[in-house]
Amino acid sequence: MRLQRITICSIFILIMSFCAVTGTATSAVATEPPEKLISIDPGNAPPDLVMVISAIVLEMRGQAQPKGKWPEIVFTGGITKGLLEPQFRYAGFRLLQTMVDEYLPPEMNNGVTKLKGHLHFFDAAKRRTLVSLEIKYEFVSDKIIIKKAEIRPLFPLRPELKLFIVPAERVTKNDFDIFSNNALTMGFLLNNCVSAGKPDEIPKGIRDYYVFACYLDRLSPDDQTELRLGRISNGLQGEKLAFRASDGIAQTGHNLLHFDHSGWRVDIARCRISLTGEKLYLKAIFQPGTKQNKEIKLGEPYLAGVFPTRLARQVPDPLVKKTQLALIRAGYDPGPADGFMGNKTHQAIDQFQRDSKQKAAAEPTRDQIKMVQAALVEKGYKPGTPDGIMGGKTRRAIMQYQHDNAMPADGKISASLLKKLTASKPQRTSTVQHAKKGKSQVVQQGESRTLTVSAPSPKQQRLKTMITSKMWPNEVAIP
Amino acid sequence: MFSSLCKYRYVIPTLTIFLFCGCAGLEGQIQKFKQKMDQLGQITLPDPIAVSLDTMPKDAAQVTTAIHDKIVRISQGTSKHVRFGKAIDAGSFLIDKELTFSGAELYHYKTNINNPSDKTIAGKIDFEGPLGRRTSALHVSRFSSTNNEIVITEARVEPLYSTNPEPMLFIVPTSSLPNNASLYPDSYTDLLTFVSEKAVTPSSRVNMIEENAEYTIFVFLLDRISPSAALQVKVSTQETGIYGYKQTTRYLNFNGWQVGILSGLFSLSDRGQTEPLYVKAVFVPGKEVGKLRPPRLIGRYMIHNIDPTQMRYTISSSN
């Protein structure tokens, strides 16, 4: 009878329901569970199997085995170490499912029982993890001797996550100290995140927010995650969100700030969005790594989650209105200045960006102007303070220089002018007679006195250079 | 003659407007008047007939040199061929020793028809310090030249105050400044040196965190302005216009070279800003420009900005 039952159940699944969890999501895992699954009543499971798995879970948690209740379970040397993860004890996690995919009774395996399966853990925050299990044990009188026990965390190819949006002003530098703790992080997020269920409390207009992507599945260290902001809900397209070093937190080597809670990752990015404006989509992109799942290749990026940014009824945004008015003033057509970011406004901004680039390419840069001004000053001309602004003084000084050097005196910065200015040696000496306006002197003639323009000393020159570098650029051209 | 030449700066702006109103047709009058309104509050000097000493007539250059020497009180080295017939009053024109000659222009050179040896000149002498501080003197001189000697019979020198002063703005962390403003260096050059040593470099703002910090803003005028003119330093979120918050600005006046000082909590970073912030330097011309003295924006400095193209809100079309 016993042999018959074991034969039938050579492959079966045992479900031990320690708690009733509804809506359990089953993530696809890198190592797929067996296709043939048989559910049986836990009451019908072999008692030795229940006892061994319970003992394994206790070992994984680093807890002592119960005494007196069950037959003594003995782990032979070194096995216990293989059941412990360095920094994780599954504390707070409950064993939801035990999936057994191979069970060889001692009669079929030279007196040793062989068991292969998976353990599925959950915690109160609905975080979950899957562990593969391989055990060999035998009965010796009233003891169960475990000869082999190996566990291996399995990482999902399709993880799930929750996204929280927190106004930037609610996150202080000190808060980042608690984000290394999962429970504190969740507490913080629940207290401070914006909720679609409270539309009256949703901030209006474009503001800075921190986006927290909290993965429910345990991820491999080499899995890659990122957050993007896109206009369309499907596809991976979007602008990559980053966490800035200027937020006062040490760089992590990633574009995102990652907090790794024993494999449960929390990605934090900062973005500037409106929760009451144009509907954009925050996208969590996941790319499985290979380190822990050597049997598979690096997976393709996968859209792990899409979250619309508009959480409340759209309202006009004063900043968008300002932008639209500025675009209208600049000669663009962003549509009516109504404070709503529509297609026309987007197109006008895109056009403005393109034009700005072209304009920047056609006109000398501020640095170039500054360089020309500095070179002119060095040569005794008077383009005013080298501030990088093309004003009347600069133009006149360029014309004068061009005239003196037999160049077309158009007052414009050209490649030939730059070449000439940088190639020729400076004429910095107090004895040279300048032909430029205001730089001429009376040379000693008989008893006549000489008026000279004194050149600044090296110390004064250094001081002037320092002053110039510290001056803020003036947007008003001085005639 | 003297007074009319000396009053160039008083007369010209007003005269220009009247000329346009009187001569131009009614159609073009308004437009031209509007154009000329931009020049209100400024001194427009006539076109120079010589822009350097070596392009001036020799006697005019010698007289200009002698006037210069008188201004800076050089007793030695003055040309033996030029002397003053009577003492001139250059007392109103006091400049520091560090300001030295930087140029001269001649606007008027006239020979008396009845007495060819009697001439009148009007010109400008520029002075500049090593750090760019500058000023000018306007002089009108009558002199008689003989074969071997020039005698300046009459001369009048007045400071030519700038109506287009050039501002320089520096931002200094308040923590690096003395608590009491009375402990600041007491000369323009020392203060400018002190401030520029402590000031933050504009290019360093990209690395700055966006939290507000206490900064002190210094606006130095490179040009000397008249006692009746004023510098105003204001903070505003509006790009245009001359208005802004100015209640806490303090001013130092170094014999006509003014410095505006404004302290407050500022963020120098563009990031995370919902409003741009500008520091505006406004110049109120003095009495020398006439009765109409409209304040004018001479400096606008963007402390931080919002850039529509940098907004996270906008996604580039390449996505």
Side-chain angles (χ1 to χ4, degrees):
Chain A
M1 181 64 186
R2 189 182 175 195
L3 181 66
Q4 190 183 8
R5 194 173 71 182
I6 291 167
T7 308
I8 292 168
C9 301
S10 61
I11 299 174
F12 69 96
I13 184 163
L14 174 66
I15 300 177
M16 290 186 288
S17 301
F18 292 92
C19 64
V21 176
T22 56
T24 305
T26 53
S27 299
V29 291
T31 306
E32 296 293 338
E35 291 177 4
K36 194 175 180 182
L37 300 174
I38 302 171
S39 296
I40 63 163
D41 184 350
N44 294 329
D48 57 307
L49 192 147
V50 175
M51 284 189 285
V52 166
I53 289 178
S54 298
I56 294 289
V57 171
L58 285 173
E59 284 297 319
M60 287 166 68
R61 288 180 171 155
Q63 294 174 347
Q65 298 292 336
K67 289 181 179 176
K69 194 174 178 182
W70 289 343
E72 188 181 356
I73 296 174
V74 179
F75 289 85
T76 53
I79 290 178
T80 310
K81 281 186 181 174
L83 294 173
L84 291 175
E85 290 184 49
Q87 294 174 338
F88 186 54
R89 293 283 176 274
Y90 295 87
F93 280 82
R94 288 186 292 187
L95 182 63
L96 175 73
Q97 284 182 312
T98 302
M99 290 177 282
V100 178
D101 47 77
E102 187 178 355
Y103 180 73
L104 287 176
E107 296 84 351
M108 297 176 68
N109 196 28
N110 301 324
V112 178
T113 308
K114 188 180 177 187
L115 172 67
K116 279 188 180 178
H118 298 83
L119 304 178
H120 203 166
F121 292 91
F122 262 78
D123 79 347
K126 295 190 178 176
R127 290 190 302 164
R128 59 208 179 197
T129 182
L130 198 61
V131 175
S132 76
L133 183 70
E134 188 171 350
I135 311 170
K136 284 180 183 176
Y137 61 90
E138 64 181 348
F139 292 91
V140 177
S141 65
D142 57 344
K143 291 181 182 175
I144 297 176
I145 310 293
I146 296 180
K147 292 184 164 184
K148 180 185 177 185
E150 286 179 1
I151 62 159
R152 190 159 60 95
L154 296 177
F155 301 107
L157 293 173
R158 299 284 185 266
E160 291 185 6
L161 76 150
K162 282 182 178 176
L163 193 106
F164 298 89
I165 300 175
V166 182
E169 66 271 14
R170 293 188 198 169
V171 184
T172 65
K173 276 184 188 175
N174 295 335
D175 291 330
F176 284 88
D177 296 337
I178 67 168
F179 293 153
S180 55
N181 180 292
N182 187 71
L184 294 176
T185 305
M186 295 309 293
F188 173 86
L189 292 176
L190 292 172
N191 284 331
N192 293 288
C193 75
V194 177
S195 169
K198 297 177 181 174
D200 295 340
E201 295 177 12
I202 293 175
K204 294 177 177 56
I206 299 176
R207 301 161 68 106
D208 273 349
Y209 293 95
Y210 282 103
V211 178
F212 291 74
C214 302
Y215 282 84
L216 295 175
D217 289 292
R218 195 179 189 190
L219 303 185
S220 161
D222 65 335
D223 287 342
Q224 292 169 18
T225 54
E226 65 178 64
L227 282 166
R228 293 180 186 172
L229 183 65
R231 280 185 193 162
I232 51 174
S233 60
N234 52 357
L236 301 177
Q237 287 84 10
E239 187 181 354
K240 198 171 176 177
L241 296 182
F243 190 87
R244 300 194 301 256
S246 62
D247 289 311
I249 312 301
Q251 281 283 57
T252 58
H254 300 274
N255 288 322
L256 284 174
L257 181 65
H258 297 280
F259 281 100
D260 193 326
H261 303 144
S262 301
W264 283 273
R265 195 173 294 184
V266 177
D267 290 341
I268 307 176
R270 188 163 170 156
C271 63
R272 196 165 172 73
I273 51 175
S274 171
L275 304 183
T276 56
E278 184 191 18
K279 193 189 245 182
L280 302 174
Y281 296 93
L282 285 160
K283 298 177 178 183
I285 313 292
F286 171 78
Q287 188 174 19
T290 58
K291 196 174 176 182
Q292 301 294 321
N293 303 304
K294 288 177 182 171
E295 59 269 35
I296 62 162
K297 293 180 181 175
L298 186 70
E300 290 294 316
Y302 160 73
L303 189 60
V306 184
F307 308 88
T309 56
R310 192 199 294 164
L311 301 182
R313 191 173 59 84
Q314 191 171 14
V315 294
D317 188 328
L319 193 57
V320 174
K321 193 170 181 176
K322 266 186 184 179
T323 307
Q324 288 167 329
L325 287 170
L327 287 165
I328 290 168
R329 277 200 299 272
Y332 295 87
D333 178 22
D338 53 6
F340 293 108
M341 185 73 92
N343 275 341
K344 272 194 146 183
T345 308
H346 274 302
Q347 285 166 6
I349 289 175
D350 289 345
Q351 188 62 42
F352 174 79
Q353 282 179 313
R354 283 194 292 274
D355 292 350
S356 299
K357 280 178 189 168
Q358 284 173 3
K359 198 177 168 187
E363 288 183 358
T365 63
R366 203 157 183 157
D367 285 343
Q368 280 177 328
I369 298 171
K370 211 168 183 175
M371 194 183 76
V372 167
Q373 288 169 326
L376 287 168
V377 167
E378 206 169 44
K379 291 174 192 310
Y381 294 84
K382 279 191 163 183
T385 312
D387 52 6
I389 295 172
M390 192 73 168
K393 280 184 182 175
T394 308
R395 195 161 281 114
R396 278 196 293 275
I398 291 173
M399 287 172 76
Q400 187 67 53
Y401 178 82
Q402 287 169 325
H403 179 260
D404 294 345
N405 289 275
M407 298 168 74
D410 58 1
K412 290 178 181 171
I413 294 176
S414 61
S416 58
L417 177 78
L418 286 169
K419 195 176 173 185
K420 183 99 181 166
L421 272 172
T422 50
S424 55
K425 290 181 181 175
Q427 308 160 0
R428 209 174 4 167
T429 164
S430 60
T431 57
V432 172
Q433 283 193 61
H434 300 281
K436 276 64 66 183
K437 178 181 175 182
K439 285 285 177 186
S440 57
Q441 299 82 41
V442 172
V443 182
Q444 190 75 34
Q445 291 175 345
E447 293 88 4
S448 297
R449 217 183 75 73
T450 306
L451 271 185
T452 57
V453 179
S454 54
S457 67
K459 186 184 172 188
Q460 289 170 340
Q461 192 66 40
R462 278 198 300 276
L463 199 54
K464 202 166 182 179
T465 308
M466 183 187 70
I467 288 172
T468 306
S469 69
K470 298 284 185 73
M471 275 170 53
W472 284 61
N474 188 357
E475 296 179 345
V476 178
I478 302 296
Chain B
M1 182 64 189
F2 282 135
S3 57
S4 66
L5 285 170
C6 266
K7 300 294 180 187
Y8 264 135
R9 58 189 194 280
Y10 295 86
V11 172
I12 288 168
T14 319
L15 186 64
T16 314
I17 295 163
F18 280 108
L19 280 173
F20 270 101
C21 290
C23 302
L26 196 62
E27 286 294 315
Q29 266 187 19
I30 300 297
Q31 196 58 32
K32 285 178 181 174
F33 182 80
K34 278 182 181 172
Q35 287 171 3
K36 287 297 158 186
M37 279 293 283
D38 294 339
Q39 292 183 7
L40 272 181
Q42 298 182 46
I43 292 171
T44 309
L45 290 166
D47 291 333
I49 55 176
V51 294
S52 60
L53 286 175
D54 56 355
T55 54
M56 288 181 197
K58 191 181 173 185
D59 51 357
Q62 287 178 320
V63 170
T64 303
T65 305
I67 298 287
H68 165 270
D69 291 350
K70 206 74 176 170
I71 290 171
V72 298
R73 298 179 187 81
I74 295 175
S75 56
Q76 294 178 345
T78 307
S79 171
K80 291 176 183 173
H81 297 285
V82 184
R83 65 181 176 87
F84 287 87
K86 62 178 182 181
I88 67 162
D89 179 19
S92 63
F93 192 85
L94 293 169
I95 58 169
D96 297 343
K97 282 181 181 175
E98 65 177 24
L99 294 175
T100 55
F101 173 78
S102 67
E105 288 182 353
L106 187 67
Y107 301 112
H108 181 82
Y109 183 87
K110 191 174 181 182
T111 306
N112 190 337
I113 301 169
N114 301 324
N115 183 5
S117 65
D118 188 15
K119 295 172 186 172
T120 306
I121 62 168
K124 177 171 76 98
I125 304 172
D126 298 323
F127 299 88
E128 189 168 330
L131 303 183
R133 188 159 65 114
R134 58 199 170 220
T135 186
S136 300
L138 194 68
H139 71 96
V140 183
S141 311
R142 179 183 288 171
F143 62 93
S144 59
S145 59
T146 58
N147 288 336
N148 296 319
E149 194 180 47
I150 295 173
V151 180
I152 302 173
T153 54
E154 204 168 350
R156 182 167 175 177
V157 181
E158 283 192 7
L160 180 62
Y161 296 117
S162 174
T163 52
N164 285 306
E166 185 178 346
M168 289 193 300
L169 181 134
F170 300 93
I171 300 180
V172 184
T174 304
S175 56
S176 63
L177 293 170
N179 290 333
N180 192 337
S182 63
L183 298 175
Y184 289 171
D186 56 2
S187 81
Y188 180 96
T189 304
D190 290 346
L191 182 63
L192 178 56
T193 308
F194 173 78
V195 165
S196 61
E197 281 170 354
K198 306 277 184 191
V200 295
T201 311
S203 56
S204 66
R205 58 191 286 187
V206 292
N207 298 320
M208 288 181 176
I209 57 172
E210 60 200 47
E211 277 80 8
N212 285 342
E214 196 164 342
Y215 291 102
T216 300
I217 293 171
F218 290 83
V219 176
F220 287 79
L221 288 188
L222 280 173
D223 300 280
R224 191 185 195 190
I225 60 173
S226 84
S228 55
L231 165 72
Q232 295 175 347
V233 178
K234 307 174 180 183
V235 180
S236 172
T237 56
Q238 298 296 319
E239 183 181 3
T240 54
I242 59 167
Y243 301 103
Y245 177 79
K246 61 173 182 179
Q247 275 70 10
T248 57
T249 310
R250 292 164 293 149
Y251 299 94
L252 299 175
N253 190 341
F254 296 98
N255 193 25
W257 284 275
Q258 292 211 4
V259 182
I261 304 171
L262 173 65
S263 295
L265 284 171
F266 301 105
S267 168
L268 303 186
S269 168
D270 287 347
R271 290 165 297 196
Q273 305 299 339
T274 53
E275 290 270 40
L277 186 67
Y278 298 93
V279 173
K280 294 177 179 176
V282 175
F283 173 67
V284 184
K287 291 175 184 171
E288 67 275 7
V289 299
K291 286 185 178 178
L292 292 171
R293 298 157 56 191
R296 197 169 64 249
L297 190 70
I298 55 170
R300 185 180 60 232
Y301 304 88
M302 192 171 62
I303 302 302
H304 63 236
N305 187 30
I306 47 161
D307 184 355
T309 63
Q310 296 299 317
M311 287 161 56
R312 282 287 178 215
Y313 205 98
T314 61
I315 313 296
S316 67
S317 55
S318 60
N319 287 324

